[in-house]
Amino acid sequence: MKTLIVHYLPTGADSHTRQLLKLFEEVAPTGEREVLDLLETPAPTFGRASMAAYLKRNYRHEPLTEAEAALFAPQDALIAQLKAADVLVMAYPMHNFSLPAPVKAYIDAIMFIGETFDWTPAGPAPVMQHLRALTLYTSGLELGTGPMHEFPNWDGVHALSRILFEFMGFSAWESIGVSLRDPQTRPAKLAEVRRRLEGLVHQWYPSTCAV
C-alpha cells in the first residue's frame, strides 16, 4: 500500500502537529510513502486564465491548446499523485478554527470535477473509493471546554474534512485533533492519540501491519 503524507508545519521542530505525525510514522507500516511538504512546495492557485481553461476542459469538455493545458499542469500532477495513493495523511495546525490557507490551496488544487469528484442529476457521485484519509491537527486552545464550551461548532477542521472526503467518495476517513499546549496533560493525550492510531492502522493496513 502507498501512503501519501501531505503536511504543513510552519513552526518546524516546535510543531505540536509534528508530534502527531511522528506517532503515525512510528505505528504505521513503513511500506511505500511519499511526502509533500506544502512549505517547500506550495500548492498552485487559480488565476483568470487557468480557471478559464479548467472550465473549458472539465465542464464544457472542449479541447485545450498546449498553452492552456500548461496553465494547470501543476494541479494535474497533484491529482495524479493523490490517485496513486491508497492512504492520504494530512497534518497541519488549526488556524482560526479551520484549515490554514496553504492547506486549503492544496484541497482546491486536487478537487477537480471529473477527476476526484463528479456530479450527476441525482447529486454527487463518488470517485475516490480506493482511498482512505486521515487528518492530524492540533489547536492552541482547549476548545469545546471551559470558556469555549458555548461554541459547539468550533472545530472547522473536523467538519470540513468530513465534507471534503465524503463528497469525493473516500471509502474511510478519520480526524484526530488535540491541544498539546499544556505540558501537564500532553503525555496522556499523546498516549491516547497513539492508541487511536494503532487501532486505525490495524484496520487500514491489515495485511502489512505488525504493530
Side-chain angles (χ1 to χ4, degrees), residues 45-86:
T45 56
F46 280 107
R48 289 191 182 93
S50 56
M51 178 57 75
Y54 168 58
L55 295 175
K56 180 179 178 181
R57 185 189 74 173
N58 290 62
Y59 280 87
R60 300 197 297 271
H61 307 293
E62 299 172 1
L64 302 181
T65 66
E66 289 187 11
E68 288 174 326
L71 290 172
F72 53 85
Q75 287 95 329
D76 285 343
L78 289 176
I79 291 169
Q81 180 187 54
L82 176 64
K83 285 187 168 184
D86 300 290

Side-chain angles (χ1 to χ4, degrees), residues 62-125:
E62 299 172 1
L64 302 181
T65 66
E66 289 187 11
E68 288 174 326
L71 290 172
F72 53 85
Q75 287 95 329
D76 285 343
L78 289 176
I79 291 169
Q81 180 187 54
L82 176 64
K83 285 187 168 184
D86 300 290
V87 175
L88 169 65
V89 178
M90 300 194 70
Y92 50 85
M94 175 185 286
H95 281 187
N96 298 314
F97 307 100
S98 190
L99 279 58
V103 177
K104 183 58 166 62
Y106 173 78
I107 294 295
D108 291 343
I110 57 93
M111 286 193 70
F112 272 33
I113 191 168
E115 294 286 351
T116 54
F117 77 93
D118 218 334
W119 193 264
T120 72

Side-chain angles (χ1 to χ4, degrees), residues 132-188:
R132 301 176 175 93
L134 169 64
T135 301
L136 301 172
Y137 63 103
T138 54
S139 59
L141 295 173
E142 193 72 55
L143 300 171
T145 62
M148 295 299 296
H149 76 281
E150 295 183 0
F151 294 84
N153 300 315
W154 62 267
D155 195 344
V157 171
H158 176 83
L160 190 53
S161 294
R162 177 176 182 176
I163 291 169
L164 294 171
F165 296 128
E166 289 190 357
F167 182 78
M168 289 188 282
F170 280 54
S171 62
W173 73 273
E174 184 70 44
S175 69
I176 299 177
V178 296
S179 174
L180 298 178
R181 176 164 290 187
D182 185 351
Q184 299 298 320
T185 60
R186 191 179 303 155

